[in-house]
Amino acid sequence: MELVSILNLSYLVASILFIVGIKQLAHPKTASRGNLLGALGMLIAVVATLFDQAILTYDWILVGVLIGSVIGIILAIKIQMTAMPQLVAVLNGFGGIASVFVAGAALQLSIPKYATAVNYQEIVSIVFSAIVGGITFSGSFIAFGKLQGFITEKAVRYPGDQLVKILVGLTAVGLGVYGCLEPTDESIYWILSGVSLLLGIFLVIPIGGADMPVVISLLNSYSGIAASATGFVLNNNVLIISGSLVGASGIILTQIMCKAMNRSLTNVLFGGFGAVATEMKDDGDFYSGKVKSTSAEEVAMLLDVARSVVIVPGYGMAVAQAQHTVRDLYQLLTARGIDVTFAIHPVAGRMPGHMNVLLAEADIPYDRLKEMDEINSTFENVDVVIVNGANDVTNPLAKTDPKSPIAGMPILDVGNAKTVVVIKRSLSPGFAGVPNPLFIADNCLMLFGDGKKATQEMITALKES
Amino acid sequence: MEIFVTAVTIFVLAIFVGFEIITKIPPILHTPLMSGSNAISGITLIGALYAAGIQESNITKILGLLSVIFATVNVVGGFLVTHRMLGMFKKKDTPK
């Protein structure tokens, strides 16, 4: 058999492994195997490619793979589970910029040919790679910066921001069209890549931290589309197939997340939380004199007589690295015969399902985690709800105030429980920038403090009682 | 043109496959799914290997090297961290 046929058959095997792998990733029992199948598919594709006759030397490849592997391994091993969304954003960005460079190299190779005949499939795909890859790279790094706190988490809005986005977008499209018409002018490609980078920045910077899960998922989808476009450049099926698989799965995840927040994608991309936040700045007045503050000892007394307890973890808990302390509290309460469950809002944390990962890291049993729809109707039978570092996902304004920026977002109805204890460092508003009337409800007690320290104090107080 | 139509056919079919296989994912797996599919998008590595191995000019070599590095970080980091995350989900069954 010819070498080319063997190569293409290997790509087919790799594609099948990717499809089966992603399918298995969607089920808890098979997820781990699915990931390994994906990795195996990648290995097969890479090894097969290395045997291609078009590849003449291996030194640069070897150097690149070595450097990339070391960086990848270090990142993957060192990363804390709380920083997972940042890592995914960064890796995503790398995938995007790689597509830009590959398309750039392909253009280099093709320019001599274009003097006589232009291959339009190729040049259009190259230009498309530059735009999507560029947006993915800079957008992902802005998302990373926002999550890591390098850039303000708030939505950065300025007068005429939509117009700027449209203008930069049109510039990119214009340059893209020009690049297709004048493919021998290589500088256009790099100017276009630069403009696409700018576009990524302008697109993501006005989006607030609360919307980052959606943004990351969308950018993930873009990186797949960029890879697919590279496949059109190189006429390579495995790139087209796996790129579009990732593109489609990213879009579905994005949709699911938007639904969980009851917002449309356009609203996330062009509206954004925080846009109206300036109208409600009187937090001090809102809460003054109506908040009941409590102590760890008092909460311990409440817990001592409780029969059922629900813990609502939020990003505050994650930031405080409190998941292990929360697990200790869970074990202590369970040992005393108290029924303890965890209520997980679909967008708790900063990535969908992020909270599940954190609690899994702390060895909290899988069957104790309840999803929002499952637990919401049961809150009235719960004695104590402990909200640990969550704010917007428990804010009843989402249901009562149609003008609120979180209006319509499904929330955890913790207010229906007999007593709610909110662990929070201050009364500051969450990502959405709105005060939370839950905090001044009759059955709500505020336990001010760091999520980990406050939980630790509760454990100590419980043990002493 | 012939090749282009075939490519588009494959593209469209793969999108449908993607939609079909990821319809009902439990929220608990959203994060690993995202990082796993993210690793797969590092398939650009294949293109990067060609760019780095074709020895055309210095520019393609440098572009190739850079793209190999970035794509490898995406692939290796992505699969490894997904594996680490999923390991945490499995561990739970044993102590209970």
Side-chain angles (χ1 to χ4, degrees):
Chain A
M1 201 164 20
E2 274 180 79
L3 202 59
V4 181
S5 312
I6 298 177
L7 183 68
N8 282 327
L9 280 178
S10 313
Y11 285 160
L12 174 65
V13 173
S15 304
I16 292 171
L17 287 172
F18 290 146
I19 293 174
V20 177
I22 291 192
K23 190 172 167 60
Q24 296 197 344
L25 265 174
H27 298 280
K29 275 183 192 151
T30 53
S32 201
R33 190 166 17 127
N35 185 49
L36 291 176
L37 286 183
L40 179 67
M42 190 65 77
L43 186 71
I44 291 175
V46 167
V47 171
T49 307
L50 290 178
F51 281 109
D52 191 323
Q53 282 155 335
I55 293 185
L56 302 173
T57 54
Y58 294 92
D59 42 355
W60 291 68
I61 292 178
L62 206 67
V63 172
V65 168
L66 262 176
I67 298 177
S69 301
V70 170
I71 299 176
I73 290 172
I74 292 175
L75 282 178
I77 289 180
K78 293 273 177 192
I79 191 86
Q80 290 204 319
M81 282 298 145
T82 40
M84 191 54 70
Q86 286 95 308
L87 180 70
V88 172
V90 165
L91 293 176
N92 213 8
F94 283 171
I97 196 75
S99 294
V100 175
F101 287 143
V102 172
L107 180 64
Q108 272 281 326
L109 294 172
S110 297
I111 282 179
K113 284 188 281 172
Y114 288 163
T116 46
V118 178
N119 177 343
Y120 281 101
Q121 175 196 332
E122 200 178 271
I123 186 69
V124 170
S125 314
I126 287 174
V127 162
F128 193 72
S129 283
I131 297 178
V132 183
I135 293 174
T136 308
F137 178 70
S138 57
S140 294
F141 272 82
I142 295 290
F144 163 77
K146 277 180 178 269
L147 293 171
Q148 190 70 31
F150 293 153
I151 307 172
T152 173
E153 271 164 353
K154 292 214 173 65
V156 179
R157 311 301 295 265
Y158 46 93
D161 55 348
Q162 309 287 20
L163 193 68
V164 171
K165 276 188 267 189
I166 292 170
L167 284 178
V168 179
L170 285 178
T171 310
V173 172
L175 278 168
V177 172
Y178 183 72
C180 292
L181 297 175
E182 294 288 337
T184 45
D185 188 354
E186 200 204 342
S187 57
I188 296 293
Y189 179 82
W190 297 110
I191 297 172
L192 174 63
S193 303
V195 172
S196 307
L197 290 179
L198 273 181
L199 184 57
I201 297 174
F202 283 123
L203 284 176
V204 178
I205 208 138
I207 302 175
D211 283 328
M212 275 310 121
V214 180
V215 173
I216 293 179
S217 175
L218 191 67
L219 288 169
N220 190 22
S221 175
Y222 286 177
S223 75
I225 294 168
S228 198
T230 316
F232 276 91
V233 177
L234 304 170
N235 254 317
N236 186 315
N237 288 342
V238 75
L239 278 161
I240 296 177
I241 294 173
S242 31
S244 38
L245 272 179
V246 175
S249 77
I251 287 284
I252 295 175
L253 274 177
T254 310
Q255 264 181 344
I256 292 176
M257 266 178 276
C258 282
K259 227 168 125 192
M261 301 199 293
N262 192 32
R263 308 180 55 212
S264 69
L265 189 57
T266 36
N267 186 262
V268 170
L269 296 180
F270 299 103
F273 278 148
V276 267
T278 39
E279 289 165 26
M280 326 189 56
K281 46 181 178 268
D282 256 347
D283 288 351
D285 254 14
F286 184 86
Y287 291 123
S288 68
K290 295 172 223 158
V291 169
K292 291 180 289 296
S293 159
T294 186
S295 65
E297 289 73 26
E298 202 181 339
V299 178
M301 280 185 262
L302 278 171
L303 291 174
D304 224 15
V305 294
R307 270 171 304 142
S308 59
V309 172
V310 171
I311 298 175
V312 179
Y315 199 72
M317 182 208 81
V319 168
Q321 296 279 340
Q323 62 270 37
H324 296 97
T325 320
V326 167
R327 186 247 350 257
D328 294 342
L329 178 68
Y330 157 77
Q331 286 174 341
L332 186 64
L333 293 175
T334 310
R336 297 189 176 194
I338 301 169
D339 179 55
V340 186
T341 44
F342 290 81
I344 315 285
H345 191 275
V347 290
R350 287 181 181 183
M351 210 158 128
H354 186 205
M355 203 49 71
N356 301 83
V357 175
L358 293 177
L359 296 179
E361 186 199 7
D363 284 331
I364 289 166
Y366 183 83
D367 58 359
R368 296 278 96 189
L369 312 182
K370 304 287 179 207
E371 284 168 37
M372 180 175 66
D373 295 337
E374 192 184 346
I375 201 155
N376 255 352
S377 56
T378 64
F379 272 117
E380 46 200 54
N381 305 319
V382 173
D383 295 320
V384 182
V385 171
I386 300 173
V387 178
N388 194 331
N391 185 354
D392 293 333
V393 297
T394 60
N395 193 335
L397 273 185
K399 284 191 172 163
T400 54
D401 180 3
K403 277 185 297 191
S404 151
I406 54 170
M409 179 170 115
I411 56 155
L412 290 161
D413 296 321
V414 293
N416 294 345
K418 297 196 180 76
T419 310
V420 184
V421 177
V422 178
I423 302 175
K424 205 171 176 310
R425 275 180 299 190
S426 67
L427 286 170
S428 65
F431 286 129
V434 282
N436 191 339
L438 171 72
F439 300 165
I440 51 173
D442 288 337
N443 59 344
C444 180
L445 301 167
M446 298 298 294
L447 179 55
F448 290 111
D450 168 85
K452 185 174 185 174
K453 225 173 117 236
T455 311
Q456 192 61 55
E457 284 166 7
M458 272 157 52
I459 293 174
T460 319
L462 265 174
K463 282 182 177 160
E464 281 167 2
S465 65
Chain B
M1 197 61 200
E2 193 63 27
I3 302 172
F4 179 67
V5 173
T6 316
V8 171
T9 310
I10 291 172
F11 175 72
V12 173
L13 288 179
I15 285 182
F16 275 102
V17 172
F19 270 103
E20 282 306 312
I21 58 178
I22 313 185
T23 33
K24 284 182 196 145
I25 342 134
I28 140 167
L29 282 172
H30 281 172
T31 294
L33 183 74
M34 214 145 125
S35 83
S37 68
N38 185 12
I40 292 177
S41 77
I43 186 73
T44 309
L45 177 57
I46 303 300
L49 294 177
Y50 282 113
I54 285 180
Q55 293 303 71
E56 173 79 12
S57 63
N58 280 332
I59 302 176
T60 56
K61 272 193 272 182
I62 291 168
L63 287 175
L65 177 69
L66 287 175
S67 54
V68 171
I69 295 176
F70 284 125
T72 310
V73 175
N74 190 188
V75 168
V76 174
F79 281 120
L80 199 62
V81 86
T82 309
H83 188 69
R84 219 183 117 199
M85 243 189 292
L86 290 169
M88 286 165 188
F89 282 104
K90 266 200 297 192
K91 203 167 51 182
K92 244 173 313 74
D93 303 326
T94 32
K96 243 208 118 191

